[in-house]
Structure formats: structure tokens, C-alpha cells
Amino acid sequence: MKRTALKFRSTKHYLRFQRGNYEQVISATVDREKIRISVHDIPWVVGSLSFTGRTQEAQALLVRYENRLSAELLIIAQFFLAVTLTRHTKYSEGRELFAKNLRLGQKTRSPTARFFIEQGIGFYRFFSGQARIARVRAERAHTAATEGNFLYGRVLALDLQGHSMIECGEIQAGLEFLERATKLSMKLGDGSLSESMTNSQALYRLQFGLGGADSIHHAESRLVQISREDTYTESSLLLELARQYLWRGRGDQAKRALDRASQVIFSTQNRRHEIILNLRFGELLIHQGDTAQALNYLRSARALLHPGIDTRFELELLALELEACTELGWDKHLESLKKNAAQRLRLDSGTLAGREIARHCPEIKLTRTFKRNVDRFGDLLDSLVDPTPESIVACAESGYLGLLPKALKIPRGFQGIYLDPIPGAILLVHRGIVTLVPHVSPQIRRLILELAQRECSKEDLVRKIWKYKYHPLRHDPLVYQSMNQVRKILGEFSNWIVTNESGYSFQSGCQIIRPQADPLLEFTTTSSATRKTEISDQLSHHEDSLNYRQRKILTLAGKRETVDVRSLSRELSTLPLTISRDLSKLRQLNLLVRMGKGRSTQYVLKQ
């Protein structure tokens, strides 16, 4: 038996197969004019045909040679075919082959055969959402592969262990196992096996926010590098990228990724990816405010589910249904879904999908707690269930801007500006696109508020914002400069500002939300006495470094909101060049802020 094992593991087709060079195996065997295949190569040819989408040919070849294969060789061939059938949702056929292998195992004591038996059972358990059992089987498979000095088997077993651990919430440990599997696969040679494992790690790092924006760039580069034939990896990357784009506030990019994924998935007819595609479209539409339409996609996903197998997807679907029904106010249906969620959490509370369900049903307590800083994205989602100012800031700093509208209780479908999600910033929201603009000056925020209330002429703005009596020659440049700043801040939404003969306004449908405890409100009602106190504090702080003119300039800036070189030169009877030097020093000391360019340059007191 040992000689047989060594013989089938030393053929050139096995060496090609373990590197992932399946096309080379096929072209040298079944695609030749005269087919000649050694009995010891049958498992690798069956595996190559299976993994390249030629499943019917693999089945026919196995039937033809079945009676000529030893128990060990038959177990290996049936393993590869069963894995492919399971991936293509032919669960009963795949399960039957795995069961046959279990019975055949009684006829051989080969560690290699034992590896394929345990690995097959573990794979099927993982595929059907039973990650804990899969992990145990993978450990047994690794022991058998080590005993038989079977490097290829050790790689597959470590890979399955890593995936199972991640699904159970042990993300860092699982990634370490995947890294070990990838390093071992390099010893087999340069092929698609190590590449697929590298892609899996990139997907997980993207999914769990390990690496921030760099993980997205890495996944995008992997998408460019993969071969056209690897449609499974292409669709997997596109589906995860779409979710990441959405969570990061780029709903437009998410839509493009899903449209591209649709073409790949429907051409390959991968049912599991089709389920995920419907889930992603449903989630996108919920973020865009089209919740009723999202339910159509969620119903399509449920129709594709296979009971007892697609448990992971069923839990993700349940979480989205809970969110959709909450948005629509369907209390009766929501109550039914929560009962279902409570039952499922008794079985799946230790999985990542179970953790997602618990966020929508905080009244249901998990039987297991997850370690902090392992699933950073999961930690962030947990913190936003009952958000605090600290969790809002953490969310903004992490780049997951798509989560902010829900955390801030911004209505779905909202189009407009949310003031001060974090102090001094504004949030731009439009159909799944979310942009955070930090450090917006109080004057610009006041201008936004004035335009939100009604259409304003230039005279209205000068009187309301700067407290001046309007003079076109003096104040038009200031208004133009300020409006250009607003448009620049709005970026891709600059068309929200409408300009006509009578003045400026926000376009119809654009809304402004200002929280109750708005620091802008304090700014607009600041008394002159308070401003004098602030200026006095600044003068005393810089007493030794400021001359008389500079102190006077600060006082005038506090009274008038803005100052300029020409007016100061006249009032202080000083050359414009000297005033310019004084203003430059005050800017360097961070006491004044310059607005505009050239002759329209104005200076305002730093807030």
C-alpha cells in the first residue's frame, strides 16, 4: 500500500495538479488525439476536469475507470468530484460521494486515503454552515496528511482549518492558519493553488477591515491580476468590494461592481454567488432609501436558498429583512422575524452571522462574547448599535462613512447636508454616497444655514453673515469667493447650489439637518462681550510678540468680522506693505485666517 501511494504521488500529472496547473494535466491526457491515461493518474485528471468546469467529463471518466481503481485512488477521485458537485449546489450527489468514501475507508489503512475522507467531510460541513464540526474534521485531516508525509494534504487541511476558525469568530488565528497554508503551498511550486489562497486572505482582510483603505486597493489590484478563467475569484472579489464601497459611502462604485459581478455570475450560473448578489443589491437599495424595492431582491435570495445547507446566507438574509421591516414599520412581520432570529441564535450565536443578527435584536443575548480588536469592523458595528460621540468619531476616522447616516438617525433616502456629525465637519449624503468634509469654517456653515431657509440675494448674505451694509464694489468679491468655497466643499454635489437673477438657494429636495446641540448655534448667538473676552485672551497670550498695530488689527477684526489691507492702511495711517507684514505674522501665529486672493483678499479672526 505504501508503494502504491508513493507511485501515484510521483507522477508528472500529480506534480502539475498540486501546483494548480489543471489545464496542463488535461491537455496532456484527455485532450490528446489518442487518450492514454495511467490508472495512477485518474484522480488528478478527474480533479483537473472538475476544477475547470468539465464536470460531466470527470463523471464519465470516473465511471469508465471505477472498477480498475484501488480503494485509495477511488477515494481521491471521488473527493475532487464531490467537492465540485457541492460547489455547484448538487448537494445530494456530492454528499453521496463523500459517504461512499467513508465506507471505502474501511478497506484501506492509508493515511492519504484517511486524509481525503476527513477533508471531504470537513469541507461539506463547512459548506453547510457547520464550521465547528468542519474545524474538528480539518484537524484530523491534517494529522493524517502529516502521518503520510503528504504535503498537498497538509496545505488543504490548514486552509480548511483557517476558514473554519474565521467563521467561528477566531479571525486572527484563522488568518495565521491561512498564511501557513499559503507558505506551504509555495513549496509545491508556482501555481493557482497558492494564488487562490492569497486571494482568500485578501478577501478576509477586506471583509474585516484589517488594513483600512489599503485592503481595498490590494483587492482591486488582485482583481486586475487574476486570469479571465478564474471567474469564481473574480465574482467573489467584486461582491466583497461592492459591500466595502457601500460601507465606505461610495454607493455609486458599489453599483458598478455589482453590475459587473452580475455578468460574471449569470454566465457561470453559480447559485451561491447569485444569492450573495441579491443580498448585496438589497443592502444597496436599503441604503439608498428604496427599501420596498430591496425586498424584491431579498425574496429572490430566499427563493435560491437550500434549506439546511445555506445557513450562513440565511442568517445574513434574516439580518437584512429585520433592517428592511424596521425601516418600513412592518411591526407584525418584524415580530415574526425576531422570533425566528431568537431560534437561530440558539444554534449560531458563536458565528459571525449570529453576531450580525444580534445587532438587530439587542434584547437577545449571545451565549458567547467576541474578542475585541480581532474583527475591527464587527466591533465598530457593535459600537454603533447605541452610538456615542466617541463611536461616531471612530466611525468617521475609520473611513466607514456609509455607516454614519444610520448611526446619526438620518432618514433613508435623505439628500442633503448634516451639520456637525463631528465638531466642525459636515456630512454630504445622497443615495448611498456619503462624504465627510472636516474643518468647515463657522461662516461657511452660517451661509449654508441661511440658504437652507430661503433664497438669498447678495445683499441678504452680506447683511446676515458679515453684518455689513451692502456695497456691490466692496462686497460682491467676498460673496463670490464664499459661494465658490461652498461649491468646492460640496464637490460632486456642487449642483445643489442654484444661482439665478435674484440670488442663491439650494435646489428643491436638498435638505439640511442640524442636531439639537449644534455648536453653530452657539457661534451665531455669541455676544459682543464674549467676543471681546476671547480677543482679550488672545492679546494677553501673545503680549510679548505683538506690536501696537497688530494688537489693534486683532481688535478691529473682532468687531468687523473681516478686515483688509486697504482699509487698515487708511485707518492706521500705515503703508500697505507694513500692514501686509503685520497680517502675515498674525496668520503665522494662527490668529487670523485669509479668505480670497488678490484685491478681494479678506482676513477673519480665527475661531
Side-chain angles (χ1 to χ4, degrees):
M1 188 61 66
K2 188 175 181 180
R3 289 179 184 174
T4 304
L6 290 174
K7 189 171 182 179
F8 78 74
R9 281 162 50 184
S10 60
T11 68
K12 61 182 179 181
H13 295 316
Y14 163 68
L15 296 175
R16 289 170 177 168
F17 178 86
Q18 70 174 0
R19 296 188 186 106
N21 299 327
Y22 309 127
E23 293 292 348
Q24 291 182 17
V25 175
I26 293 171
S27 62
T29 53
V30 293
D31 281 357
R32 292 181 61 182
E33 187 175 349
K34 292 183 179 180
I35 300 177
R36 291 181 180 177
I37 309 174
S38 166
V39 170
H40 297 286
D41 285 327
I42 292 298
W44 319 122
V45 179
V46 169
S48 297
L49 289 169
S50 299
F51 294 164
T52 54
R54 297 166 64 172
T55 312
Q56 290 184 338
E57 293 176 66
Q59 288 175 304
L61 186 66
L62 183 57
V63 170
R64 179 180 173 184
Y65 284 89
E66 185 174 5
N67 294 330
R68 296 167 58 184
L69 298 176
S70 66
E72 186 176 22
L73 292 175
L74 185 57
I75 286 170
I76 299 170
Q78 289 182 158
F79 168 83
F80 293 128
L81 185 56
V83 165
T84 300
L85 290 169
T86 303
R87 281 178 174 168
H88 288 79
T89 68
K90 297 181 179 179
Y91 300 121
S92 58
E93 295 178 53
R95 186 169 58 246
E96 184 180 344
L97 287 175
F98 286 132
K100 283 176 69 175
N101 277 355
L102 189 59
R103 292 191 294 270
L104 278 170
Q106 299 173 2
K107 299 180 180 180
T108 176
R109 296 182 179 179
S110 162
T112 304
R114 196 165 74 250
F115 157 77
F116 281 105
I117 292 168
E118 294 291 349
Q119 184 75 6
I121 296 172
F123 169 82
Y124 190 83
R125 293 296 190 185
F126 178 80
F127 215 76
S128 57
Q130 298 172 300
R132 293 189 190 87
I133 300 176
R135 178 179 175 180
V136 173
R137 292 290 185 173
E139 289 172 355
R140 294 178 184 175
H142 186 264
T143 301
T146 304
E147 183 183 335
N149 195 26
F150 187 25
L151 181 58
Y152 178 72
R154 288 172 60 199
V155 170
L156 293 187
L158 285 172
D159 183 65
L160 181 57
Q161 277 183 272
H163 286 292
S164 302
M165 293 171 77
I166 289 171
E167 189 60 31
C168 290
E170 299 177 36
I171 296 163
Q172 195 59 50
L175 285 171
E176 289 173 3
F177 269 80
L178 291 179
E179 184 65 31
R180 284 175 57 192
T182 305
K183 288 180 179 178
L184 274 181
S185 70
M186 300 292 187
K187 296 181 179 180
L188 298 173
D190 185 20
S192 61
L193 181 61
S194 58
E195 184 180 349
S196 67
M197 291 180 175
T198 302
N199 289 333
S200 293
Q201 291 178 67
L203 275 170
Y204 280 132
R205 293 188 183 281
L206 185 63
Q207 179 181 348
F208 299 118
L210 304 174
D214 289 341
S215 60
I216 286 187
H217 300 321
H218 182 59
E220 289 171 336
S221 65
R222 296 298 304 174
L223 194 59
V224 174
Q225 295 168 11
I226 59 174
S227 64
R228 292 182 179 180
E229 290 77 21
D230 192 0
T231 54
Y232 183 86
T233 301
E234 182 183 6
S235 53
S236 297
L237 282 169
L238 284 168
L239 290 169
E240 186 55 43
L241 276 170
R243 182 162 62 172
Q244 292 296 322
Y245 290 144
L246 181 61
W247 287 343
R248 291 178 180 274
R250 301 311 308 173
D252 51 344
Q253 289 180 267
K255 177 66 165 56
R256 288 196 291 271
L258 291 176
D259 287 341
R260 179 178 166 186
S262 299
Q263 299 176 23
V264 179
I265 292 167
F266 289 125
S267 67
T268 57
Q269 296 185 336
N270 186 310
R271 187 192 59 83
R272 286 172 75 88
H273 277 174
E274 192 176 346
I275 293 172
I276 301 173
L277 180 67
N278 280 290
L279 293 175
R280 297 290 176 269
F281 267 120
E283 189 173 6
L284 173 63
L285 288 167
I286 289 172
H287 277 250
Q288 292 179 336
D290 299 326
T291 309
Q293 187 180 347
L295 286 173
N296 292 328
Y297 281 96
L298 299 185
R299 290 190 188 100
S300 297
R302 185 165 290 284
L304 291 166
L305 289 174
H306 192 290
I309 299 293
D310 299 321
T311 54
R312 182 157 43 97
F313 300 136
E314 189 176 356
L315 287 169
E316 188 176 343
L317 172 60
L318 184 57
L320 287 173
E321 286 176 332
L322 283 164
E323 185 170 358
C325 290
T326 302
E327 292 288 338
L328 294 170
W330 292 0
D331 294 336
K332 277 190 177 181
H333 199 48
L334 191 60
E335 188 176 340
S336 173
L337 287 173
K338 286 189 175 183
K339 286 181 180 178
N340 187 11
Q343 293 173 356
R344 297 308 305 268
L345 281 178
R346 293 191 188 100
L347 301 173
D348 301 285
S349 63
T351 64
L352 295 173
R355 187 182 187 184
E356 174 64 21
I357 291 289
R359 293 188 192 107
H360 295 277
C361 304
E363 66 273 15
I364 304 173
K365 300 299 182 183
L366 289 173
T367 57
R368 171 196 163 183
T369 57
F370 289 83
K371 292 181 180 178
R372 301 284 298 175
N373 300 320
V374 176
D375 176 6
R376 295 176 187 173
F377 183 70
D379 295 342
L380 180 61
L381 286 173
D382 288 346
S383 72
L384 294 176
V385 172
D386 187 13
T388 62
E390 291 76 18
S391 63
I392 296 294
V393 171
C395 183
E397 291 176 346
S398 69
Y400 288 107
L401 302 181
L403 304 176
L404 284 176
K406 182 180 178 182
L408 295 168
K409 295 181 173 54
I410 298 174
R412 298 292 192 187
F414 173 83
Q415 172 187 303
I417 303 171
Y418 186 99
L419 292 167
D420 289 300
I422 58 176
I426 64 171
L427 197 69
L428 311 177
V429 184
H430 175 64
R431 293 189 61 78
I433 302 174
V434 184
T435 305
L436 183 73
V437 184
H439 313 306
V440 178
S441 71
Q443 284 188 345
I444 294 299
R445 286 148 66 207
R446 286 174 63 185
L447 196 155
I448 289 171
L449 276 176
E450 288 296 333
L451 295 178
Q453 294 174 26
R454 62 187 178 281
E455 184 180 275
C456 294
S457 65
K458 288 181 286 186
E459 184 177 358
D460 293 333
L461 292 175
V462 169
R463 182 166 43 82
K464 289 281 187 179
I465 306 299
W466 292 281
K467 314 297 182 185
Y468 288 154
K469 184 178 180 181
Y470 176 65
H471 189 288
L473 293 179
R474 290 188 61 190
H475 300 131
D476 279 3
L478 180 61
V479 174
Y480 296 149
Q481 177 69 25
S482 299
M483 293 309 301
N484 285 336
Q485 283 186 331
V486 173
R487 288 192 176 96
K488 186 176 180 181
I489 285 170
L490 294 179
E492 60 189 303
F493 306 121
S494 59
N495 62 325
W496 286 354
I497 296 289
V498 178
T499 307
N500 53 43
E501 293 181 357
S502 54
Y504 304 92
S505 64
F506 279 110
Q507 69 175 207
S508 177
C510 182
Q511 305 173 62
I512 311 295
I513 294 180
R514 181 175 67 179
Q516 293 299 319
D518 185 6
L520 183 58
L521 188 62
E522 297 175 15
F523 173 82
T524 57
T525 57
T526 299
S527 65
S528 58
T530 303
R531 289 185 59 79
K532 287 180 181 178
T533 302
E534 292 173 355
I535 294 167
S536 177
D537 290 343
Q538 291 175 342
L539 291 174
S540 61
H541 182 69
H542 297 281
E543 184 175 3
D544 297 333
S545 59
L546 298 181
N547 60 34
Y548 167 78
R549 289 187 313 278
Q550 293 158 358
R551 294 165 64 85
K552 183 66 176 177
I553 288 170
L554 280 180
T555 303
L556 292 172
K559 292 178 179 178
R560 300 177 184 175
E561 297 288 343
T562 65
V563 291
D564 59 75
V565 173
R566 283 177 293 176
S567 63
L568 288 172
S569 177
R570 286 194 304 270
E571 187 156 352
L572 299 179
S573 301
T574 308
L575 291 172
L577 183 60
T578 304
I579 294 295
S580 295
R581 289 173 182 159
D582 288 334
L583 292 170
S584 295
K585 181 174 181 179
L586 292 172
R587 283 182 60 225
Q588 290 173 3
L589 292 173
N590 207 26
L591 297 174
L592 291 181
V593 176
R594 186 173 67 185
M595 296 175 59
K597 294 181 180 179
R599 292 186 177 182
S600 63
T601 301
Q602 304 277 334
Y603 295 85
V604 297
L605 198 65
K606 178 76 173 181
Q607 298 301 314

